[in-house]
Amino acid sequence: MSTASLATREAPNPWWVGFVSGLASYIDACAIVSSGIAFVIYRHTIGLTDGQYGALSGALTFSIAVGALFGGRLGDRFGRKHVFSVTMVLIVIGAVTQVLAGAFLPLLAGTILVGLGTGADLPVSLATIAESADDDNRGKIIVFSNILWVVGILGAIIASSIVGNWGRLGG
């Protein structure tokens, strides 16, 4: 791509960028909250011990922290879009692994992937918003992204209220 075509390329609408980044926040919140709820269900359906339950909760929290610690740096180095795509793939693979897990170790592996993906996504999506917005709308768009985070929490709670008594399938 030539320099002239880069110069004439129109910047994306900051509200669209905020919406897409906000959807990532929605997915992150759903994945985190639904994982915690599923741990309670799996505790009974696949027979998790108290120690395993605690290890899953701790692994989720620790993995989110590790992902957040390195996500921003990875986005700076390899590009936000690439890292954003990888975080979504990690979340999907982790969630599918959690759903299919019938024992502790696969559930732990899926939980770690979900945690790393959701953690790394946060600095990347917020930096993407900050770069695309201007001084007049940056705060509004970030608040919009946070609202979608809360909607994700509510979505996970509502879904778990519907399927929570389905046993392992509900998890």
Side-chain angles (χ1 to χ4, degrees):
M1 190 177 288
S2 70
T3 308
S5 61
L6 285 175
T8 59
R9 186 174 170 193
E10 209 174 300
N13 181 318
W15 281 99
W16 175 251
V17 172
F19 176 71
V20 171
S21 296
L23 287 179
S25 293
Y26 172 87
I27 290 168
D28 293 348
C30 278
I32 292 167
V33 172
S34 62
S35 291
I37 293 168
F39 296 161
V40 174
I41 295 169
Y42 290 155
R43 188 172 188 182
H44 301 288
T45 61
I46 65 173
L48 295 176
T49 66
D50 290 345
Q52 290 171 330
Y53 179 78
L56 288 169
S57 297
L60 179 62
T61 303
F62 184 74
S63 298
I64 293 168
V66 169
L69 183 64
F70 294 105
R73 289 186 185 111
L74 291 171
D76 290 343
R77 182 167 182 178
F78 298 108
R80 300 201 200 300
K81 286 182 183 179
H82 294 346
V83 173
F84 183 81
S85 296
V86 169
T87 63
M88 292 297 118
V89 169
L90 282 175
I91 293 167
V92 168
I93 292 171
V96 168
T97 303
Q98 287 175 318
V99 167
L100 298 177
F104 172 71
L105 288 178
L107 188 56
L108 178 64
T111 298
I112 290 170
L113 291 176
V114 167
L116 290 172
T118 58
D121 171 61
L122 183 62
V124 171
S125 63
L126 291 178
T128 301
I129 291 171
E131 288 174 348
S132 69
D134 58 32
D135 290 342
D136 293 332
N137 61 14
R138 185 173 295 115
K140 294 172 190 164
I141 296 173
I142 289 176
V143 167
F144 176 66
S145 174
N146 288 331
I147 288 170
L148 289 175
W149 177 277
V150 172
V151 172
I153 292 170
L154 294 173
I157 291 170
I158 290 167
S160 68
S161 297
I162 295 168
V163 302
N165 64 348
W166 291 5
R168 185 165 170 253
L169 178 62

